[in-house]
Amino acid sequence: MKRAFAAWAAVMIGFLGFEFLGCVEKGLKFNIRFDQIQGLKSGDPVMFENNIAGEILDFKYTKEGGYLVEVTVTQAFKAAATRTTRFFIIDHPILPGRKAIEMISSEKGAPPIASGETVAGDDATASSFIVRFLEKLKDKLNA
């Protein structure tokens, strides 16, 4: 009886250890600071190039008057989360009335965001950022 329990306990400890290591390696958790969250909810996606790259875990209103949004980005998209990546709140691409965070990577090889780090979100819309970027590009080409 003791041997069966010891075997069961070893299997359970091994399984839990494997699951814990798997969770740790699955992605990157960090915070994004926004002035407004425009209806974001826990569970809403983090998007990168029309792919679901992660999700919103939680958010809180800070004493400084903004919001701190805790997100996780999956291992597959971890390289897109750098210190030069821009973060925008957008309409959910599929679910009407819901929101998402769009990651736009602007510089290859930029330093990665560290686990637990807080980065600034952009309170402009992603489309306005793209319009501004294209206008600057046009000005450079015409100069």
Side-chain angles (χ1 to χ4, degrees), residues 20-50:
F20 175 75
L21 288 175
C23 289
V24 169
E25 294 178 353
K26 283 185 181 172
L28 171 68
K29 278 187 191 179
F30 60 97
N31 301 299
I32 307 169
R33 191 175 43 256
F34 288 103
D35 289 337
Q36 302 173 15
I37 56 171
Q38 305 174 25
L40 282 175
K41 294 180 176 35
S42 296
D44 284 345
V46 175
M47 307 292 295
F48 180 71
E49 297 181 348
N50 295 320

Side-chain angles (χ1 to χ4, degrees), residues 121-141:
D122 197 316
D123 286 306
T125 63
S127 59
S128 67
F129 169 73
I130 292 168
V131 168
R132 287 193 315 265
F133 174 77
L134 291 174
E135 286 172 351
K136 286 180 184 179
L137 182 62
K138 178 183 163 190
D139 291 342
K140 285 183 181 181
L141 292 173

Side-chain angles (χ1 to χ4, degrees), residues 52-73:
I52 295 176
E55 74 174 310
I56 297 166
L57 299 176
D58 199 9
F59 60 89
K60 63 182 174 183
Y61 189 74
T62 67
K63 64 183 177 182
E64 292 82 18
Y67 291 87
L68 204 56
V69 180
E70 182 183 20
V71 301
T72 184
V73 172

Side-chain angles (χ1 to χ4, degrees), residues 80-99:
T82 70
R83 294 206 174 103
T84 62
T85 299
R86 306 280 301 265
F87 298 92
F88 300 93
I89 298 172
I90 62 169
D91 290 330
H92 194 292
I94 299 169
L95 301 174
R98 298 290 301 265
K99 296 291 184 178

